[in-house]
Amino acid sequence: MTPAGDLEYTVKTLPASAEEIARCGTLRRRVHEWLASPDRDGKHDDDPELDEILDPSGDAWIRFLRARNGNVDKAFKMMSNHLAWRCDYRPWTITPAEIEHQNVTGKVRMGGLDSRDGRPVLVFDDSKENSKDHEMQLRSLVYHVCRVDRACRRNPNLGKYLLFIHLRDFKLSKAPGRKQSTNTLSLLQDQFPERLGRAILYKPPTVFAAMLSMVKPFMTEVTRNKIIAVTGNIDAGSKNDLKMRGIAGDDWRELTGATMPQSSPEISPGYDHAHAWAEVVREHEEEEERRRAWAESHAAGRGGGNREFARSDSVSSMDVSNKAAAVVGGSAGGKKKSKLAPEEPGSRRTSCDGSVDVFFDAKETIRPVKSKSWFGF
């Protein structure tokens, strides 16, 4: 039996509606004006990925807009905060040598690209935590999430990633602390919004699976379909195996480590540090070469001066389509009322399809939607 493919909105950023395109133009003008203001002028000049992020044909504009339900004011605040974070944190300066000791157990890793759609797979295994240095834990996480973000950004047919969370060996005694959980939450939802395609909870404890079953009826269909708890039989040909093959391809076990052997009890299943880290180093060297080429081109093209940010009123690669218009509640001229927020503040945050796009932390008790134990990517 050949499993069906994954849902489109879990694979890529859907095209923008006419109304969204107009608001992206407003958002872009405001961001460029902010970057050129006296307070920010020149501070972002050494960010080697800024031109990619601000590319009018890229998906950053529509992602940040949708993360704030079409509210331009809120999207501007979110995006300017992201760019300021990049300026202060300088994630491109993190090196494999600096964070390798945080990665020997495979607790956080990019498992590769799924063979069905080519989405990057981000793997979490908190049971293999090997450090109490929260700052270095965060730097390691930032490094891998940035790898995932670049993979999504540079493939025009994608836009989303898979998050695979090992919960088979989950224990409260090994669970991340509140500060670490908050940092992870902030990184994923505030710095890289609308990137999550799927969240797969692998072998959650019985009590966790019961909590998930109780809360699922209160989620929208879109949100429910993003979150999958894999429990029970996962043998080849089983219902769970077919489901995972439909989401991530036939090699889903190798990508995630599920059912794969462990070199030792302290190592995440399927993780071979020597092999995985050689690939990290190789990728980093390629990225460094790209950055050196950018620096030389930037210095020659700008004469060492500040960037001149292009100001465009269109989103060139975000074609208007009936499907996109239906997803956001109809085009501006249609009969359906748009689910986009008005440009003034006060709208409830929702995902790109108008649903509340939430995901909850397994380490916390289930609480109302406003709790920090809930988060949307």
Side-chain angles (χ1 to χ4, degrees), residues 284-298:
H284 185 81
E285 290 173 348
E286 288 186 355
E287 194 63 28
E288 282 294 288
E289 184 60 35
R290 179 193 290 262
R291 290 167 185 161
R292 282 191 291 269
W294 169 85
E296 292 173 2
S297 174
H298 180 63

Side-chain angles (χ1 to χ4, degrees), residues 249-303:
D250 293 341
D251 60 346
W252 71 271
R253 300 167 194 270
E254 290 80 2
L255 284 170
T256 63
T259 75
M260 301 300 287
Q262 292 175 262
S263 58
S264 75
E266 295 77 26
I267 306 300
S268 184
Y271 184 67
D272 180 340
H273 180 68
H275 175 77
W277 210 245
E279 176 62 21
V280 169
V281 171
R282 182 199 64 77
E283 180 186 304
H284 185 81
E285 290 173 348
E286 288 186 355
E287 194 63 28
E288 282 294 288
E289 184 60 35
R290 179 193 290 262
R291 290 167 185 161
R292 282 191 291 269
W294 169 85
E296 292 173 2
S297 174
H298 180 63
R302 307 299 187 199

